[in-house]
């Protein structure tokens, strides 16, 4: 006589599904728990930019340095205290404008110490610290080009860096004027600058502070100027994985504390108003009113 196979009850089935999903849920939670990841590995990975001068770039020994890197170093000190660890190894991963968010999302990078704009739309994918800098998006041109406004770009080629919002902002500013421009994308900021320096492009649209860094490091800085209308006032922040309340709280506490104590302003003066490695060049970009407001009222709201 054949054995009867009784159907599994709904409760048992639900339990079986839950047991199957538990490891997945735990793994997902672990992925988004940066402090737990650091404690387990004894290491943290910084994402850095190779040519965001002043913020995040390589010095003469090919070591990542800059304003953003130093802020991240302060965060690591706070993590050591929080986790009661005697030391945390800092690993470095180069990122570009195009791959920085995916590398944060997939866990390759724990915190991006670069020059990323905090946009509300990006907050759907990643999280941000309070703004560490605010600036205007403008354009870099050769001083003798005759280009002084957006209208002067008619029929010209404009360089932007892949993964940035610069060309979209230019198009939005041009709305209704039918400006005929060609976009040429560089893989990083130095590559985009070379497009102008070599004459392949007539303008390079980007954050004015980053443009100032490119000019300061040029062979002939006097050959270039920053000009034109501001396309938008934007804000730079440190970037890390979203849905990680504990890590965000720590980052916010450290960054806001540096602003309130005056340490952030001193750090700013070190990297943007003083000679910096590797060439001892001074970017000479005074603290603007927008950044002063960011320091006085820390916010990660985004734009």
């Amino acid at each position: 006589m054949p054995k009867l196979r009784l159907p599994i009850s709904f409760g048992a089935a639900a339990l079986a599904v839950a047991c199957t999903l538990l490891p997945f849920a735990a793994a997902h939670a672990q992925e988004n728990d940066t402090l737990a990841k650091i404690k387990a590995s004894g290491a943290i990975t910084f994402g850095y930019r190779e040519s965001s001068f002043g913020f995040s770039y390589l010095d003469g020994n090919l070591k990542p340095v800059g304003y953003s890197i130093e802020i991240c170093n302060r965060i690591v000190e706070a993590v050591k205290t929080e986790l009661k660890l005697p030391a945390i190894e800092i690993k470095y991963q180069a990122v570009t404008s195009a791959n920085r968010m995916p590398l944060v999302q997939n866990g390759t990078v724990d915190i991006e110490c670069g020059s990323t704009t905090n946009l509300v739309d990006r907050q759907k994918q990643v999280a941000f610290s309070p703004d560490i800098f605010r600036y205007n998006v403008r354009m870099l041109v050769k001083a003798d080009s005759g280009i002084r406004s957006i209208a002067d770009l008619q029929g010209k080629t404009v360089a932007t860096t892949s993964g940035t919002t610069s060309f979209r902002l230019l198009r939005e500013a041009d709305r209704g004027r039918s400006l005929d421009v060609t976009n040429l994308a560089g893989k990083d900021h130095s590559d985009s600058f070379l497009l102008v320096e070599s004459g392949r492009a007539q303008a390079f649209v980007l954050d004015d502070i980053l443009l100032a860094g490119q000019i300061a490091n040029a062979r002939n800085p006097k050959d270039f100027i920053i000009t034109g209308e501001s396309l938008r006032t934007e804000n730079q922040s440190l970037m890390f994985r979203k849905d990680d309340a504990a890590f965000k709280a720590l980052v916010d506490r450290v960054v806001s504390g540096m602003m309130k104590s005056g340490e952030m302003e001193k750090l700013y003066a070190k990297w943007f108003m003083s000679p910096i490695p590797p060439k001892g060049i001074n970017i000479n970009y005074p603290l603007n009113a927008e950044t002063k407001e960011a320091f006085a009222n820390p916010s990660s709201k985004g734009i």
Side-chain angles (χ1 to χ4, degrees):
M1 183 176 180
K3 294 181 179 179
L4 293 174
R5 296 185 180 275
L6 298 176
I8 299 174
S9 70
F10 176 79
L15 180 61
V17 171
C19 290
T20 302
L21 292 177
L22 276 174
F24 172 79
H28 180 70
Q30 180 71 16
E31 285 173 8
N32 284 346
D33 191 339
T34 304
L35 293 176
K37 182 184 176 191
I38 294 169
K39 188 168 187 177
S41 66
I44 185 171
T45 300
F46 287 1
Y48 72 92
R49 302 298 295 270
E50 295 183 326
S51 59
S52 289
F53 296 113
F55 288 96
S56 180
Y57 66 102
L58 296 174
D59 68 8
N61 298 314
L62 301 182
K63 178 185 176 183
V65 296
Y67 175 72
S68 300
I69 297 289
E70 285 214 46
I71 298 170
C72 283
N73 286 336
R74 302 291 194 282
I75 291 168
V76 171
E77 290 303 311
V79 173
K80 283 165 61 176
T81 301
E82 179 87 7
L83 299 179
K84 298 180 174 58
L85 293 175
I88 293 174
E89 180 188 1
I90 297 175
K91 299 179 179 180
Y92 298 95
Q93 170 66 51
V95 300
T96 66
S97 296
N99 69 16
R100 56 192 168 180
M101 282 195 288
L103 289 177
V104 167
Q105 288 178 288
N106 69 20
T108 301
V109 167
D110 294 312
I111 183 166
E112 191 238 5
C113 316
S115 53
T116 295
T117 303
N118 177 5
L119 300 176
V120 171
D121 191 54
R122 287 176 174 169
Q123 292 175 13
K124 297 172 185 176
Q125 304 174 68
V126 292
F128 293 93
S129 73
D131 301 341
I132 61 172
F133 196 94
R134 290 179 184 163
Y135 53 89
N136 291 295
V137 178
R138 298 178 70 199
M139 60 184 173
L140 174 155
V141 300
K142 286 186 176 179
D144 62 1
S145 67
I147 298 172
R148 296 295 182 270
S149 70
I150 293 172
D152 294 332
L153 294 176
Q154 181 66 32
K156 304 290 195 300
T157 297
V158 176
T160 58
T161 301
S162 295
T164 65
T165 59
S166 301
F167 197 69
R168 176 170 62 81
L169 292 176
L170 180 61
R171 280 299 188 201
E172 289 175 357
D174 172 57
R175 191 169 292 149
R177 286 185 285 182
S178 301
L179 192 68
D180 179 21
V181 295
T182 300
N183 182 212
L184 199 55
K187 63 180 177 60
D188 58 29
H189 302 327
S190 289
D191 191 38
S192 299
F193 175 76
L194 284 173
L195 293 174
V196 176
E197 189 175 44
S198 66
R200 293 179 61 198
Q202 287 71 58
F204 174 20
V205 178
L206 190 67
D207 317 345
D208 57 4
I209 177 60
L210 295 177
L211 295 177
Q214 291 295 326
I215 290 175
N217 281 275
R219 283 173 289 188
N220 299 296
K222 292 181 180 179
D223 290 351
F224 305 92
I225 60 171
I226 298 170
T227 188
E229 309 92 312
S230 171
L231 301 183
R232 184 164 71 178
T233 298
E234 293 195 337
N235 48 350
Q236 286 182 0
S237 305
L238 308 175
M239 179 172 63
F240 42 94
R241 283 179 291 281
K242 65 176 300 186
D243 300 326
D244 188 348
F247 190 64
K248 177 163 174 55
L250 184 145
V251 169
D252 288 0
R253 184 173 73 245
V254 172
V255 172
S256 298
M258 291 175 69
M259 291 171 177
K260 291 173 182 175
S261 70
E263 183 182 3
M264 195 72 83
E265 193 162 340
K266 291 177 182 176
L267 205 58
Y268 180 97
K270 174 181 176 180
W271 289 102
F272 301 109
M273 293 298 295
S274 309
I276 60 175
K279 301 176 183 178
I281 291 169
N282 188 343
I283 294 175
N284 194 26
Y285 188 99
L287 191 65
N288 60 29
E290 293 89 348
T291 304
K292 286 181 181 178
E293 200 281 329
F295 289 178
N297 301 288
S299 170
S300 58
K301 184 172 69 172
I303 57 172

